[in-house]
């Protein structure tokens, strides 16, 4: 039987702390499948880290090198977490849940972060993730990787606007800016301007893929659910839902814009030669919905590999159902999404 033709895709990778290991699984499956050629990748926070690790490994060793680099990165994350006092409590373990909801250290830190800034409780700005990214990622390789272009987002603290770093702008500071949660870390200064987590203004941004690549198919790897059919009751549930809504807001605006432009092209009101007809797809982490928000800071290796397995299964199922649609039509009905 003849092997299916290789298809070009763009990837948009959301952030979500340790839940980014779901994206690791998705990427691992797509790279193993070898029917995909990745043109561009946008990422925010954990998505930005996955993106630069992917590009660094790919430039050095192709698909196999990218898979190896991703596993190395997440392994180092788990090893750093092993030394952290913030971990699951015996109660969490006994309840067979991955959350840290009963962890005294997590609850204490969560409380402190609401009353003190990182400039007070973390004056020297310790961030173990910076060392891990610096160790795993060869940014020279990322910058010279022409077949897989990376774009990562951060939020400018002064202007409140998004900044997308691409090409030779992609460096360690840009990645750390993209993942800088302001209640945990000092703002990252780049060119004299402070930056916070990119999720506030683009989680992830889609527009760089339209302007900087010629590939129409965009696959969103979505970690944060858009819809939850339940009303949050506890303070933690309310805060988590507010964060999900906030971090999805800019993405939904871009999705709406894609749907609007597509409608105008279909109606002949815009020229398909001047405007790209984007084919939009989504691999969502439905199995992650029941997980508590505190599990986003749980980086135990067993949890990360479980998330990876969920990501691999989700990607496999999506590819089996939708591979034929790539290059032909969207698999997300954007008109339905917003009606």
């Amino acid at each position: 039987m003849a092997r299916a033709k290789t298809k070009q895709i763009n990837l948009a990778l959301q952030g979500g702390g340790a839940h980014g290991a779901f994206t690791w699984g998705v990427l691992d499956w797509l790279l193993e499948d070898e029917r995909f050629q990745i043109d561009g990748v946008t990422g925010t926070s954990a998505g930005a880290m996955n993106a630069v690790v992917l590009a660094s490994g790919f430039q050095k060793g192709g698909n196999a090198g990218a898979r190896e680099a991703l596993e190395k990165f997440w392994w180092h994350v788990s090893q750093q977490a092993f030394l952290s006092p913030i971990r699951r409590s015996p109660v969490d373990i006994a309840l067979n849940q991955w959350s840290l909801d009963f962890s005294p250290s997590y609850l204490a830190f969560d409380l402190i972060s609401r009353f003190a800034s990182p400039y007070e409780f973390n004056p020297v700005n310790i961030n173990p993730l910076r060392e891990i990214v610096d160790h795993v990622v060869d940014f020279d390789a990322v910058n010279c990787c022409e077949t897989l272009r990376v774009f990562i987002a951060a939020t400018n603290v002064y202007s409140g606007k998004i900044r997308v770093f691409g090409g030779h702008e992609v460096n360690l500071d840009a990645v750390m800016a993209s993942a800088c949660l302001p209640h945990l870390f000092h703002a990252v200064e780049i060119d004299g301007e402070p930056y916070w987590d990119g999720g506030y203004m683009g989680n992830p941004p889609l527009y760089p893929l339209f302007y900087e690549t010629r590939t129409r198919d965009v696959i969103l790897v979505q970690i944060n659910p858009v819809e939850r059919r339940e009303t949050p009751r506890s303070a933690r549930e309310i805060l988590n839902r507010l964060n999900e809504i906030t971090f999805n807001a800019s993405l939904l605006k871009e999705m709406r814009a894609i749907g609007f432009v597509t409608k105008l092209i279909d109606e002949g009101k815009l020229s398909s030669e001047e405007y790209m007809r984007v084919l939009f797809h989504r691999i969502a982490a439905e199995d992650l919905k029941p997980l508590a928000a505190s599990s986003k800071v749980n980086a135990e290796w067993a949890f990360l590999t479980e998330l990876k397995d969920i990501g691999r299964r989700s990607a496999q199922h999506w590819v089996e159902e939708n591979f034929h649609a790539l290059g032909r039509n969207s698999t997300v009905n954007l008109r339905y999404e917003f009606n």
Side-chain angles (χ1 to χ4, degrees), residues 14 21 27 51 55 106 161 165 179 222 244 255 258 296 315 335:
Q14 276 200 325
L27 296 174
Y106 170 77
K161 297 178 181 179
F165 298 87
Q222 189 166 21
E244 288 178 341
M255 290 171 62
I258 293 171
K296 291 182 178 180
R335 296 186 190 182

Side-chain angles (χ1 to χ4, degrees), residues 79-339:
Q79 293 306 291
Q80 189 65 54
F82 183 75
L83 303 173
S84 171
I86 301 176
R87 59 180 65 196
R88 283 193 301 163
S89 70
V91 176
D92 294 310
I93 296 172
L95 293 174
N96 196 31
Q97 60 187 23
W98 292 112
S99 75
L100 283 73
D101 288 348
F102 295 98
S103 168
S105 56
Y106 170 77
L107 295 173
F109 183 76
D110 184 54
L111 181 64
I112 291 172
S113 67
R114 297 176 193 275
F115 292 94
S117 85
Y119 296 88
E120 297 167 327
F121 66 76
N122 185 12
V124 295
N125 199 27
I126 297 173
N127 187 346
L129 279 174
R130 185 181 183 92
E131 296 179 10
I132 295 172
V133 174
D134 191 31
H135 174 68
V136 175
V137 178
D138 181 343
F139 283 98
D140 288 335
V142 175
N143 293 333
C144 70
C145 185
E146 297 181 354
T147 56
L148 195 164
R149 285 165 286 183
V150 174
F151 309 93
I152 57 180
T155 302
N156 186 298
V157 180
Y158 288 164
S159 69
K161 297 178 181 179
I162 189 173
R163 176 172 174 182
V164 175
F165 298 87
H168 291 280
E169 295 177 327
V170 177
N171 56 29
L172 181 59
D173 283 338
V175 174
M176 300 319 298
S178 182
C180 179
L181 291 170
H183 61 284
L184 297 181
F185 305 111
H186 299 195
V188 178
E189 188 170 302
I190 300 174
D191 300 330
E193 305 260 311
Y195 290 89
W196 282 340
D197 193 294
Y200 296 108
M201 296 305 296
N203 191 23
L206 303 178
Y207 71 87
L209 301 174
F210 313 150
Y211 292 110
E212 302 295 335
T213 80
R214 295 183 178 181
T215 298
R216 294 195 301 163
D217 288 281
V218 175
I219 301 178
L220 168 68
V221 182
Q222 189 166 21
I223 294 175
N224 301 302
V226 171
E227 183 175 344
R228 285 188 185 272
R229 304 302 297 175
E230 56 188 356
T231 302
R233 303 289 183 182
S234 70
R236 188 173 289 110
E237 289 174 344
I238 292 170
L239 181 60
N240 180 53
R241 187 57 186 146
L242 282 172
N243 285 336
E244 288 178 341
I245 292 171
T246 300
F247 282 163
N248 277 326
S250 57
L251 172 66
L252 291 176
K253 289 180 181 179
E254 286 199 88
M255 290 171 62
R256 184 187 292 272
I258 293 171
F260 180 66
V261 171
T262 300
K263 177 176 180 291
L264 294 179
I265 292 174
D266 290 344
E267 292 176 350
K269 296 177 181 178
L270 289 178
S271 169
S272 59
E273 295 181 0
E274 296 182 22
Y275 294 88
M276 178 184 289
R277 191 180 193 283
V278 176
L279 306 180
F280 196 75
H281 316 278
R282 174 172 53 201
I283 300 176
E286 294 297 327
D287 291 346
L288 271 58
K289 276 188 177 182
L291 293 174
S294 61
S295 66
K296 291 182 178 180
V297 298
N298 180 1
E300 295 175 51
W301 183 243
F303 182 45
L304 298 181
T305 53
E306 180 171 317
L307 292 173
K308 175 194 176 185
D309 290 341
I310 294 172
R312 281 180 57 86
R313 290 196 299 271
S314 298
Q316 180 182 10
H317 176 73
W318 187 89
V319 170
E320 290 174 350
E321 294 288 323
N322 300 290
F323 184 82
H324 66 281
L326 291 170
R328 297 180 180 179
N329 56 270
S330 295
T331 56
V332 175
N333 188 332
L334 294 176
R335 296 186 190 182
Y336 174 79
E337 289 271 331
F338 298 104
N339 288 329

